[in-house]
Amino acid sequence: MENIDFSLVNWSRAQFALTAMYHWLFVPLTLGLSFIVAFMETLYVRTGNPEWKRITKFWMTIFGINFAIGVATGIILEFEFGTNWSNYSWFVGDIFGAPLAIEGIMAFFLESTFIAVMFFGWNKVSKKFHLLSTWLVAIGSNLSALWILVANAWMQNPVGMKFNPDTARNEMVDFWEVLFSPVAINKFLHTISSGYVLASVFVMGVSAWYLLKNREHLFAKRSMIVASVFGLITSAFIVLTGDGSARNMAQFQPMKFAAMENLYIGQQNAPLVAIGILKENAAQADHKKQDFRFMIEIPNMLSYMAFLDPNAYVPGIQDLVHGNPERNILSYKQKSEIGKLAITSLADYKNARKAGNDSLAATALATFEENYKYFGYGYYAGRDVHELVPHVPTTFYSFRIMVGLGFHFMLLFFVVLVLTLKDKIAKNKWILYTALWTIPLAYIAVELGWVVAEVGRQPWVIQDILPSIAAVSQLQPASVQITFWMFFVIFTALLIAEIKIMTVQIKKGPGEDTTTPETLTANTNL
Amino acid sequence: MQIIRNIYQFYWQGFRSMTLGKKLWAIILIKLVVMFLILKLFFFPNYLKTNFDTDQERSDHVIEQLTK
């Protein structure tokens, strides 16, 4: 790994980031809207009120548009695995095979079959069977997300596998450990609930637009109630799962955690920087310290967040890079030496096997297995170990903006719910405008969540085991650049199509409006 | 047999009565054609499958890449 083409690595990373971020523009709305539609249809089946059917059908159409535009955009990521990240693809071996195969089967049978009933089945199948299909689409969509997120969680915390040095592949030894690792469970719950919040914001914002246009009052208010209740519950849940994710991060990815907190020097009773503006200075450039221009701290909160103990020690970037013997933290230099030993012993093992020298092969294998834990650090032996530090400001700000927006959504759900129940929402124009303009903020929040998770773990493709410099295929950087721009054009076209079709459909509305402000009598109609 | 006929009729009538759905299906089909017949075929060959014939060769290549 002496002649690394960073242009190739960076373009490949940029391409993957672009594809994943565009894909993630479509997925969360599908995840959340599928459940919102299911709740609405449940209300229709329980009450028999045709207005609920009208509401359900409208949001189902919006779900259909988003589903159609977004479907298969994730396949591009699999193309990239095989072409741009072939070492990684081979190396992860069977770990991804099982979850992704289950995802494919699940997606095909649950989503594809029951989506047809959802859209074609009105008045053709019984109300209850139609409702069951809608719920199965929601459950199926969310379970599809489970498998891909399990695969992603494994990259953040590789467990339940054993590396086979003969095939150069990781083999799954415990499926349940992979599926039920705390990182996988938290990642799944946190990610899908972010989709629920986004969909709730979306439904609330579009409904606000109708009220601003003095259209579809009953439709808008009922949609707002469902969205704000669902959004409020899932916002509370997202705080819990986010807390779990932070603890997982502190345990399994301490560098990501330190970068997210801009914590350079580890400390006990570490405070959480609730709000902060970083100050770029020479010390930061040298990875020693990064000051704040301004900050508001919550005492002991970071220690508590990380280890449920306000007195706990939270290691900083300096501790992780240079080691801290008092806290039994190895330096990156030490880890890179161990990793280098693992890499060398893997090569020795292969050579000994080729030469038929079984005893030498056994010795090399034992050395390899003993040191495999830090395999990936070996690629940084003799290099600047600060390459193992992710971009701190990006991780720091992304986390804070995401959390700040999360609290904004929660407050907005509460206010909208109260005002709608009191039938005062239509008169509060500024709340309606806020709800409308919160739609793009929800998209920003979910994308920033992805940035925290993925930028924060750089340079690791698989935590501690495989960095991006070793995972990439030996391609021409120019070819990666070409496909990067091709994807940019294709995905942007899809996004424009989505926005245009959705806007037309929203302007068209849910059909004939049977209600006007005058015919509504407050809560009785809700 | 009647069940198969009913299922066929269900899908046939469903597709025939689509309005917005027709546009969405067109987008899905164009997207799949672009992805699988252009991107996958011409721009995203599987690196290891294209350059090596057997799994043994592929694993040897990856180990060489990882240990060089």
Side-chain angles (χ1 to χ4, degrees):
Chain A
M1 286 290 155
E2 283 160 8
N3 301 312
I4 297 164
D5 186 346
F6 278 101
S7 164
L8 170 68
V9 176
N10 289 335
W11 274 104
S12 299
R13 288 161 78 182
Q15 188 184 73
F16 200 86
L18 173 91
T19 324
M21 289 181 87
Y22 262 106
H23 177 56
W24 190 236
L25 282 175
F26 301 110
V27 177
L29 188 61
T30 296
L31 297 179
L33 206 48
S34 63
F35 273 118
I36 289 178
V37 167
F39 290 131
M40 289 167 167
E41 192 177 344
T42 304
L43 287 166
Y44 163 59
V45 172
R46 290 194 66 163
T47 62
N49 185 327
E51 183 62 17
W52 278 117
K53 184 178 180 182
R54 191 167 161 267
I55 294 169
T56 305
K57 285 183 93 167
F58 173 78
W59 291 113
M60 202 175 267
T61 305
I62 299 297
F63 168 84
I65 295 168
N66 187 62
F67 186 87
I69 308 276
V71 75
T73 50
I75 288 173
I76 300 280
L77 296 168
E78 291 190 34
F79 293 173
E80 288 172 25
F81 283 147
T83 306
N84 299 15
W85 303 99
S86 60
N87 288 347
Y88 157 81
S89 256
W90 187 262
F91 190 80
V92 294
D94 302 333
I95 307 288
F96 275 27
L100 294 182
I102 296 171
E103 189 208 346
I105 293 165
M106 193 78 88
F108 182 77
F109 283 106
L110 270 178
E111 291 176 51
S112 310
T113 310
F114 291 105
I115 273 184
V117 178
M118 230 171 103
F119 286 99
F120 300 160
W122 292 105
N123 306 322
K124 287 181 185 162
V125 297
S126 72
K127 275 185 186 177
K128 284 187 178 169
F129 184 67
H130 193 278
L131 178 63
L132 176 71
S133 303
T134 307
W135 275 103
L136 287 175
V137 167
I139 293 165
S141 308
N142 280 266
L143 283 180
S144 287
L146 168 72
W147 301 109
I148 192 71
L149 290 167
V150 164
N152 181 283
W154 182 84
M155 290 156 69
Q156 318 259 354
N157 176 33
V159 290
M161 88 298 185
K162 190 173 184 344
F163 182 76
N164 183 338
D166 293 312
T167 60
R169 308 192 89 166
N170 280 286
E171 292 169 357
M172 196 185 297
V173 291
D174 189 342
F175 173 75
W176 302 110
E177 197 182 357
V178 174
L179 180 60
F180 291 119
S181 90
V183 177
I185 291 170
N186 254 300
K187 180 165 275 295
F188 171 64
L189 296 176
H190 193 63
T191 309
I192 58 165
S193 44
S194 73
Y196 302 159
V197 171
L198 178 133
S200 303
V201 168
F202 183 88
V203 171
M204 197 170 65
V206 173
S207 305
W209 181 82
Y210 282 116
L211 293 180
L212 284 166
K213 294 283 172 190
N214 200 24
R215 287 176 57 188
E216 303 290 352
H217 278 248
L218 183 59
F219 163 88
K221 287 176 189 173
R222 283 188 172 177
S223 298
M224 276 180 155
I225 288 180
V226 173
S228 55
V229 170
F230 188 53
L232 206 52
I233 294 168
T234 51
S235 293
F237 186 64
I238 218 170
V239 174
L240 287 177
T241 54
D243 180 56
S245 295
R247 241 185 327 282
N248 288 158
M249 205 189 290
Q251 189 181 351
F252 302 115
Q253 296 175 300
M255 176 55 83
K256 188 202 276 189
F257 190 75
M260 191 174 86
E261 292 304 320
N262 187 44
L263 185 71
Y264 275 75
I265 315 290
Q267 54 181 295
Q268 276 185 304
N269 304 96
L272 175 75
V273 178
I275 300 169
I277 306 284
L278 302 179
K279 185 160 79 179
E280 299 283 329
N281 56 22
Q284 186 272 327
D286 205 23
H287 298 278
K288 285 182 181 154
K289 187 173 181 289
Q290 188 159 39
D291 289 331
F292 289 91
R293 284 184 194 283
F294 160 80
M295 68 166 160
I296 298 173
E297 286 182 336
I298 307 173
N300 303 331
M301 192 62 189
L302 192 62
S303 291
Y304 186 78
M305 210 167 98
F307 301 106
L308 290 176
D309 175 3
N311 300 314
Y313 180 85
V314 182
I317 293 170
Q318 285 287 299
D319 302 275
L320 296 164
V321 171
H322 299 295
N324 184 335
E326 278 176 39
R327 304 279 172 184
N328 289 325
I329 299 170
L330 292 181
S331 70
Y332 277 176
K333 191 166 182 295
Q334 287 169 302
K335 286 184 181 178
S336 68
E337 282 161 6
I338 296 170
K340 187 71 191 169
L341 193 57
I343 293 169
T344 313
S345 54
L346 177 62
D348 292 344
Y349 171 77
K350 285 299 281 185
N351 292 334
R353 290 274 291 172
K354 264 186 200 163
N357 188 336
D358 289 344
S359 67
L360 187 61
T363 312
L365 183 60
T367 310
F368 168 75
E369 286 177 346
E370 196 182 324
N371 298 292
Y372 180 62
K373 191 180 171 190
Y374 296 124
F375 186 81
Y377 288 90
Y379 297 105
Y380 292 88
R383 301 175 66 88
D384 179 4
V385 285
H386 289 104
E387 287 175 23
L388 288 156
V389 181
H391 194 254
V392 175
T394 305
T395 320
F396 176 85
Y397 285 124
S398 298
F399 176 69
R400 269 148 198 83
I401 297 169
M402 174 189 73
V403 172
L405 287 174
F407 282 113
H408 162 68
F409 304 149
M410 203 187 277
L411 183 64
L412 190 62
F413 289 136
F414 179 74
V415 171
V416 166
L417 179 62
V418 171
L419 289 174
T420 312
L421 289 174
K422 289 185 173 179
D423 202 26
K424 289 181 179 169
I425 188 73
K427 289 170 194 155
N428 281 278
K429 299 270 190 233
W430 66 275
I431 288 284
L432 295 175
Y433 278 112
T434 307
L436 180 61
W437 287 105
T438 296
I439 296 175
L441 297 181
Y443 281 93
I444 290 171
V446 294
E447 292 291 344
L448 289 178
W450 186 87
V451 168
V452 173
E454 303 301 313
V455 173
R457 73 163 150 135
Q458 292 303 314
W460 299 113
V461 178
I462 304 170
Q463 186 69 36
D464 295 348
I465 294 176
L466 194 70
S468 51
I469 54 172
V472 76
S473 309
Q474 293 308 308
L475 304 171
Q476 290 299 318
S479 72
V480 184
Q481 281 179 45
I482 290 168
T483 47
F484 174 93
W485 291 113
M486 279 173 66
F487 283 152
F488 182 76
V489 170
I490 291 169
F491 279 118
T492 305
L494 285 175
L495 186 62
I496 291 168
E498 160 125 329
I499 293 169
K500 206 172 167 200
I501 296 171
M502 262 194 195
T503 311
V504 168
Q505 206 60 31
I506 289 166
K507 279 183 183 165
K508 203 185 277 180
E512 197 184 336
D513 184 6
T514 53
T515 59
T516 62
E518 292 72 30
T519 61
L520 293 175
T521 48
N523 298 336
T524 51
N525 283 310
L526 295 174
Chain B
M1 203 59 194
Q2 186 58 35
I3 292 173
I4 294 169
R5 200 171 293 136
N6 287 347
I7 292 171
Y8 173 77
Q9 279 298 321
F10 176 83
Y11 276 92
W12 175 247
Q13 285 175 11
F15 280 113
R16 270 173 64 99
S17 59
M18 282 191 311
T19 47
L20 174 65
K22 282 180 184 155
K23 191 188 278 183
L24 296 176
W25 270 107
I27 291 173
I28 291 173
L29 292 175
I30 292 168
K31 189 167 54 176
L32 291 176
V33 166
V34 169
M35 280 180 186
F36 286 98
L37 298 184
I38 300 172
L39 290 176
K40 178 70 183 158
L41 221 55
F42 298 106
F43 294 95
F44 284 91
N46 185 300
Y47 181 85
L48 293 175
K49 279 188 184 159
T50 311
N51 291 298
F52 304 96
D53 295 326
T54 65
D55 277 356
Q56 188 57 53
E57 287 174 2
R58 289 175 195 123
S59 67
D60 286 345
H61 169 76
V62 172
I63 288 194
E64 190 194 316
Q65 290 288 309
L66 294 178
T67 57
K68 72 179 181 183

